[in-house]
Structures are given as C-alpha cells and as structure tokens.
Amino acid sequence: MYGRNWSFRITWFRILLIILVLGAAAACLYRFIFGLGAVTNLSDQWPWGLWIGFDLLCGIALAGGGFSTALVVHVLHRDKYLPIARAALLTSLLGYIISLVSLFLDIGRWFNFWRPFFYWGFHSVLFEVFWCISLYTTIQVLEFGDIFFEKVKFPALKKILGYMMTPLLILGIVLPSLHQSSLGSLYIVAIDKLYPLWWSMLIPFFFVWSAFFLGPAMVTVEGTLASRAYGRQPELPVFQSMTKLTMWMMIIYFIVKMIDLNYRGVFGMAFNGSYESNMFLIEMIVFVLLPIFMYAIPSIRTKLWGVVTASLLVVVGVVFNRMNVVFTGMAKSVGGSYFPSIWEFLITIGMWSALALAYLFIVENFSILPKEEHTHSTHTSYGPSFHA
Amino acid sequence: MSKGVLVDVTRCIDCKSCMVACKVWNDLPSRKTEFSNDLDAGQLNSDTYTVVNNCISENGGEVVWRFVKRQCMHCKEPACESACFTHSFVKTKEGAVIYKPTVVDQDYCVGCRYCMIACPFGVPTFQWEKAFPYVEKCTFCYERTQQGLKTACTQACPTGALKFGDREELLAEAWQRINNNPNYVKHVYGEKEYGGTSWLYISDVPFAQLGFKTEVFNRPVTEKSIPSLTWDVLKWTPYIFVGWGALLTAMRAYTKRRAEVHNEEEMYGPVDPKE
C-alpha cells in the first residue's frame, strides 16, 4: 500500500493537461487586462457566446448529477446507489466551480461581481440564478468538507458539519432545482428572439427536468470513464437500475414537449424544413427518442456498451439542447454571426482540463470511489492517522 | 407626466441633424466623414446612441425612400430594467429609461449583458474594446428633460419629424394625423408593442418595410410587457422553495435509513493511480 500522504502521479497526458491549463490562464490574464473585445468574437448582436452557452449553461446542467443523486440517495434512501453518490457530488462541485469561473471571466465589470449581493434586483431571473449558484456552490463545498475531513483530521469541524448535514442536503436539492429551472427562465425574456420550438413559458420546467434526468446518465458516463482510467470494474448494476428513472423522466419530457408545441400551435414548425426545425428534429429523435428506446430494450440496457451509449446520447443531447437555445434558436432574430475565437476555445479547453486534473487528484487522495471487493483485505493499512 | 417623442417618418429628410446633436450633447466620439454612396448610418454602437437608416420600399407601385431614426424606445415597462440584477437600469417618472452607471454615476453594473439579451429592439450596446466596459444606449437626454428641455435630437430636427411632448398627448396627435390623412398606415408603432414605448412612430409605408419588428416567426410581436412574462414565472420561486423543501424533508424523514447499513468511511477509498 502506498503511503497515505498526498500523491499525484505525473503522466504525459497529465502534463498535456497542465500545459493547456497554463495556456488558458495566460489567455485569461490577457482578457482581464485588455477586455472582452480583445479575446472574444462577441458583439452587440451576440453578447453571450461560448463561455455562457457552453461552460455555464452546459457546465451547470452536466453538474445535475449532484442533486439528482443526492435526492435518490440521501432523501429517498435508496442505498443501492450509494456507491456513486460521492463521485456525483464531486463532479457536480467541479462543474459549478467551472461555471463560476466562466461567469467571472465573462462579466465585463468583474470587480463589481459582488454587487448583486447588495443591490437586490429580485425581478431579474439572473438574480435568482446568481444567488442559487453561489449558495449551492458553498453548500457543495461544505458537503465535500465531510469527505475532506476524513483525510485531513479535524474532528471538531467534522462534527459541526455533521450536525449541519441534513439541512445542507435539503438546501442542496432545493437550490439547484430552482436555478436549473431559472437558467431556462432566463430565456423567457427572449420571447420574440428565441425560435418558438424552444421558447416556451415551460422552458424552466424543461431545463430543470432535463438537468435531473441527465444526472444518472452523467454518472454512468463519468463512472465508466473513471473505471477505464483506473482499471476498475464499472458499477454496471447501479447504472442499469438507474436507467428506469431516466427513461420515464425522458418519456414525460417528450410528452410535455409535444403537448406544449401543440398548445402553442407551433408543432408544424418542427417540419418546415428550416435549419432550426432540422436541429430540433435531431434533438428530439437522436437525443431523446433513441435513448428512450435503448433504455427500454433489455438486451441493450443490460450490456455495458448499451447503457453507456444511451447515457452518452442523453448527455450530448442536453448539451445539444442548451446550444440550440443559446445559438441555433437565436441566430435568425438577432442577425450577425458568431463563432468563438481561438482564445475562447483555448480558455474553455483549459477550464475543462483543470476540471479533469482536479478530479484525478481528488479521487486519488480522498475517499470518493467505493473500495473494490478484492482490495478489501488490503485496506487495513489505510489510515490517515499519521497525517496531520 | 411621462414624456415621449412622436416620429413622423413621412417628414424625415435624412439630414442626420439628430445624430450630430446627440453626439455633441452626449460628448460621444465621432467618426471621420468619408465619401460614400451609402447614406445609411449603420447600427447603433457604444459611441452612437441614435442612427438614421435608409429604407427603399414600394408604396402603391411607386418606389419611395424613407428614413427612420432609431434609438432606445424607452419602453413603459422595460425588459432591460427587469433583466438587470443590480438595478442598473431604471425607468424614471419622466419616461426615460436610464443606465445608472454612466448617467447618474451609480456604478453597480457587473457587465453581464443580460439587458442586451432581454431588449426586444436590440438597443443596448457594449464597449467591447474597453477593459472595464459600460453598457451604452440613448439616455433620452435625462439631464435636459429634467430641466424641462427637449431632447437634443428633437431640438435639432428642422422638419418636425420629431416632436417632443407628453406621451399621451402625442399619442392622441398621432391618431389625429392618421385619421386626417388616408396616406398614413393605421398603426402607431410603440403604442402597444411590448406594453408600449415612449417613442411613437407613424408612417405612410408599412412598418415591416421600414425594418421595424412587427412580426416575428410569423406572428405579430408581443403586446404584453416582457417584465410581466418573467414575473409570471418568477413569482412562484418562494412557494417552490418552501414547498419543495418541506416535501424533501418529509420524504427524508419518512424513508429514514433502516439502520446505518453502511459505514461510509469504510465504504469508500482513494484510488490507486498505478491502476
């Protein structure tokens, strides 16, 4: 057994990631000194681009695994999902940190970032988003503190955290439910800008619902990646039993979407052959209906490749949906054109590389993933006792 | 009394005096004149609060030129104000929608640009090239109107295409002009669009042909104010917060873990990086 101090093995892949992070950090510095115009392709027509569209909206949605798993494990007490609970919390926390970093990068007057804490524009959806995201990130840090203090011994603090855990867990589900939906509500104002296939008074529901059913899919994809990276056995039984929840939630999502389109009388727009309608059809058929069928068919769902492929479709599908809302659906009405600059891409890649590095470091140093059965006997030597 | 401006498109001769007056009054940097066949003033930007656009359109088989001044419409219930989470926009009682950081020097703006997403007319612009940029848009000459003066552009207009006054009186006058002259389109743009705006337009050419947003995705533009739409959703927040929280707490208590079957500290462990 290796020593229980901090360890981080350096491989060529990790060196590459570090270089990407350093490159992005330099680009960020440049952006803070010379402004947004110097590094981005944003314009008066396209005030929100890659960082908001992808890093923030998708980052937060992808972090949905945290609150859906917390609900299933800690509120409904379905213990069979316990093995993935901590990994879901960790990815969620990292996803939120990415989103906060990208938000900070994207705001023009960043030294004023704290103002909304004091000037309450509560009639703004962004106000709710801002408060919920800041509070929820704080809560996740505290939740993670419970894990952190298992390794870094600090019994007094761990005890205090233990007392706080129940309210934190409840808040840690309520807050993300609210702001996942309010990320959708942000686009209510775009009533005459966002293409009617996506604009709806129900967009808050679609956003929170999809973030929720994305959770198990994200946990499956991420758990499979982790098992690959570390030569572990993927938690196939856990992944499989989650498919039922995802499948039913997606069926409801699809039905509500159809009813909503009909109610607003825009159902026909899905078939008018325009760019928007084609993108919408791809979103619905490839990323909603196809995974529903894959989850429904036992011979696919019980195989690792099947459950992972279907989950990957769900994950990509939610990203695809958010991109459609931010870019595809807005293109016609706002005019002009936007494609991210090389610097925007560089910074985005750097942020996600940092996320990967943080994930690797944390799972190798903290108790995140379940111990594997065959290593159980060797774990007697595990004890952070000789660590301050 | 809320002020407004009536723009009679038929009277505009594209002299661009309003643009010059705006630049001068607001002390905005101007572009060096270049000779060009293109008379169109282009789009609003952070140095230009108003532009006059050229529109060639057909009216009863006859090709006509029309010139349309554009600027912030100063909505009765502005989307930008409702979108801003630091109260950086405010609708004043005089009718102006002002951006506080540059107009009254109250610098809370975070630079999130949600106002730009929210504005249905695409008005607010951003100082992209600046390190600490502001949002910029027409101020309705707030300092002038507070002292009972007209806006700089209406003051400068030589043809009466722009008329400053009380919004309600201007609206009545607009309908009077429309009803007295069959050439006018029977519509006052700004009367109802997005809940109504302080700037009102009348024209003898259909508004759609002048580049006005009259129809979007094959349906007429919304007459409800955008803030009211947002509020329809946002007002549920406290109930969801309390209700969902209570439901979760109840469920957690009800399904209380049957004994602590798992000792979490025993269950998880760090991963060995050597595979």
Side-chain angles (χ1 to χ4, degrees):
Chain A
M1 215 47 213
Y2 46 96
R4 277 291 119 212
N5 286 316
W6 306 102
S7 70
F8 193 63
R9 212 164 75 96
I10 294 299
T11 63
W12 284 112
F13 179 64
R14 292 178 188 190
I15 289 175
L16 174 71
L17 290 180
I18 292 169
I19 292 170
L20 286 171
V21 174
L22 292 177
C28 288
L29 197 65
Y30 189 81
R31 173 259 170 275
F32 282 122
I33 298 169
F34 295 100
L36 282 164
V39 288
T40 69
N41 281 345
L42 296 172
S43 64
D44 289 335
Q45 284 74 47
W46 284 100
W48 285 0
L50 184 72
W51 296 341
I52 294 289
F54 185 73
D55 297 294
L56 177 78
L57 283 182
C58 296
I60 294 268
L62 296 180
F67 85 109
S68 45
T69 318
L71 176 57
V72 172
V73 174
H74 297 297
V75 172
L76 302 178
H77 290 127
R78 298 296 186 87
D79 283 343
K80 66 177 166 181
Y81 300 113
L82 209 51
I84 48 118
R86 288 191 168 188
L89 167 66
L90 174 64
T91 11
S92 176
L93 172 61
L94 293 176
Y96 273 81
I97 291 174
I98 286 254
S99 305
L100 283 179
V101 170
S102 66
L103 197 59
F104 188 65
L105 270 178
D106 197 79
I107 55 175
R109 308 179 65 73
W110 46 268
F111 50 87
N112 264 351
F113 77 93
W114 51 274
R115 297 281 190 178
F117 284 122
F118 297 93
Y119 302 96
W120 283 25
F122 54 82
H123 42 57
S124 169
V125 179
L126 204 57
F127 179 73
E128 187 182 330
V129 172
F130 177 81
W131 269 90
C132 286
I133 292 184
S134 335
L135 284 179
Y136 182 47
T137 310
T138 314
I139 285 173
Q140 288 189 101
V141 169
L142 292 173
E143 285 178 349
F144 187 76
D146 197 41
I147 301 168
F148 183 80
F149 290 124
E150 281 174 12
K151 181 177 172 87
V152 182
K153 290 291 174 188
F154 211 133
L157 274 180
K158 188 162 165 58
K159 207 168 173 187
I160 296 172
L161 275 179
Y163 288 129
M164 290 162 65
M165 216 30 89
T166 299
L168 283 183
L169 279 170
I170 301 292
L171 265 181
I173 296 166
V174 174
L175 290 174
S177 309
L178 280 174
H179 81 73
Q180 291 283 5
S181 65
S182 50
L183 282 175
S185 322
L186 280 179
Y187 281 86
I188 297 257
V189 292
I191 173 164
D192 283 349
K193 288 181 161 185
L194 182 58
Y195 203 73
L197 289 173
W198 291 286
W199 186 91
S200 162
M201 284 305 271
L202 288 186
I203 193 173
F205 165 78
F206 291 130
F207 264 56
V208 67
W209 200 254
S210 57
F212 197 92
F213 72 62
L214 170 73
M218 193 64 199
V219 166
T220 305
V221 171
E222 177 239 310
T224 314
L225 282 176
S227 64
R228 274 282 171 82
Y230 292 109
R232 295 157 54 93
Q233 204 59 19
E235 274 106 14
L236 188 57
V238 181
F239 300 161
Q240 271 164 18
S241 63
M242 291 190 302
T243 57
K244 213 168 226 173
L245 176 72
T246 317
M247 184 186 77
W248 282 109
M249 289 196 74
M250 290 183 83
I251 290 172
I252 293 170
Y253 178 83
F254 185 78
I255 292 172
V256 176
K257 198 124 204 169
M258 293 305 117
I259 293 172
D260 173 57
L261 291 181
N262 261 314
Y263 175 76
R264 290 184 292 118
V266 296
F267 189 77
M269 290 179 110
F271 304 99
N272 65 13
S274 65
Y275 173 61
E276 288 88 352
S277 79
N278 290 337
M279 291 294 266
F280 180 76
L281 287 180
I282 294 173
E283 185 186 318
M284 283 297 124
I285 294 169
V286 180
F287 297 117
V288 178
L289 290 179
L290 186 58
I292 289 177
F293 283 116
M294 293 180 77
Y295 283 145
I297 300 168
S299 62
I300 296 178
R301 145 182 101 218
T302 50
K303 306 274 191 326
L304 184 65
W305 72 265
V307 72
V308 171
T309 311
S311 302
L312 200 59
L313 283 175
V314 175
V315 171
V316 176
V318 172
V319 173
F320 193 76
N321 167 259
R322 302 301 193 261
M323 297 312 244
N324 277 338
V325 170
V326 185
F327 299 112
T328 317
M330 300 284 270
K332 192 171 274 173
S333 61
V334 301
S337 66
Y338 167 78
F339 191 79
S341 71
I342 178 94
W343 302 107
E344 290 176 82
F345 277 118
L346 194 73
I347 290 176
T348 291
I349 292 169
M351 283 197 284
W352 292 88
S353 304
L355 181 143
L357 284 170
Y359 179 88
L360 293 169
F361 175 78
I362 293 169
V363 294
E364 286 169 18
N365 288 280
F366 293 96
S367 304
I368 304 294
L369 297 173
K371 292 173 188 169
E372 292 204 89
E373 299 302 320
H374 63 271
T375 57
H376 255 298
S377 52
T378 62
H379 268 268
T380 41
S381 62
Y382 164 51
S385 50
F386 42 85
H387 186 81
Chain B
M1 188 78 110
S2 187
K3 299 290 179 188
V5 173
L6 176 59
V7 186
D8 191 333
V9 173
T10 63
R11 297 187 188 181
C12 180
I13 56 165
D14 197 25
C15 70
K16 299 189 169 79
S17 303
C18 51
M19 287 181 67
V20 176
C22 177
K23 289 257 183 191
V24 171
W25 175 258
N26 290 298
D27 206 11
L28 295 167
S30 44
R31 216 169 17 143
K32 202 176 170 201
T33 312
E34 282 169 22
F35 287 102
S36 154
N37 289 330
D38 188 8
L39 297 169
D40 192 276
Q43 287 179 319
L44 302 173
N45 58 52
S46 55
D47 292 337
T48 313
Y49 296 167
T50 184
V51 293
V52 181
N53 288 150
N54 294 193
C55 304
I56 302 175
S57 76
E58 254 190 49
N59 198 13
E62 191 190 353
V63 176
V64 292
W65 281 68
R66 288 294 174 265
F67 315 103
V68 184
K69 179 185 183 303
R70 294 179 195 286
Q71 72 295 308
C72 172
M73 299 289 282
H74 298 279
C75 304
K76 284 167 89 176
E77 293 174 61
C80 56
E81 184 195 29
S82 78
C84 181
F85 67 153
T86 61
H87 286 302
S88 286
F89 285 92
V90 65
K91 172 82 178 172
T92 65
K93 62 179 192 310
E94 294 88 356
V97 177
I98 56 167
Y99 173 67
K100 290 203 259 178
T102 52
V103 180
V104 290
D105 211 18
Q106 292 180 4
D107 186 8
Y108 320 139
C109 177
V110 164
C112 71
R113 311 185 294 288
Y114 188 40
C115 48
M116 299 168 73
I117 298 283
C119 177
F121 301 107
V123 166
T125 55
F126 200 59
Q127 294 175 321
W128 294 103
E129 67 296 337
K130 297 264 172 70
F132 303 126
Y134 285 115
V135 172
E136 294 278 8
K137 71 167 198 67
C138 160
T139 63
F140 212 28
C141 288
Y142 185 60
E143 309 90 327
R144 293 175 61 98
T145 53
Q146 268 195 315
Q147 294 167 24
L149 295 169
K150 295 175 179 180
T151 63
C153 55
T154 49
Q155 181 77 51
C157 181
T159 64
L162 306 177
K163 183 174 181 182
F164 185 85
D166 290 326
R167 184 183 185 272
E168 296 315 311
E169 286 169 20
L170 291 174
L171 191 58
E173 184 177 340
W175 278 110
Q176 204 180 5
R177 284 195 213 174
I178 290 171
N179 292 331
N180 290 343
N181 187 337
N183 288 338
Y184 281 107
V185 176
K186 300 249 173 292
H187 184 79
V188 179
Y189 193 91
E191 182 181 5
K192 289 181 179 148
E193 280 78 8
Y194 302 105
T197 61
S198 295
W199 280 64
L200 303 163
Y201 286 76
I202 55 174
S203 162
D204 59 340
V205 174
F207 285 102
Q209 289 178 29
L210 298 177
F212 280 91
K213 194 169 174 177
T214 54
E215 207 178 58
V216 196
F217 311 121
N218 301 320
R219 59 166 196 233
V221 299
T222 314
E223 290 191 354
K224 271 186 147 183
S225 81
I226 287 177
S228 73
L229 290 172
T230 313
W231 192 245
D232 276 346
V233 172
L234 219 48
K235 67 182 177 198
W236 294 101
T237 308
Y239 305 107
I240 295 173
F241 185 87
V242 174
W244 186 216
L247 184 65
L248 287 170
T249 314
M251 285 199 293
R252 182 173 158 88
Y254 183 72
T255 63
K256 200 166 222 146
R257 187 170 293 170
R258 303 126 239 149
E260 291 292 315
V261 266
H262 294 281
N263 181 352
E264 291 197 16
E265 282 202 46
E266 279 298 302
M267 181 171 180
Y268 303 96
V271 178
D272 187 343
K274 285 165 284 187
E275 290 188 24

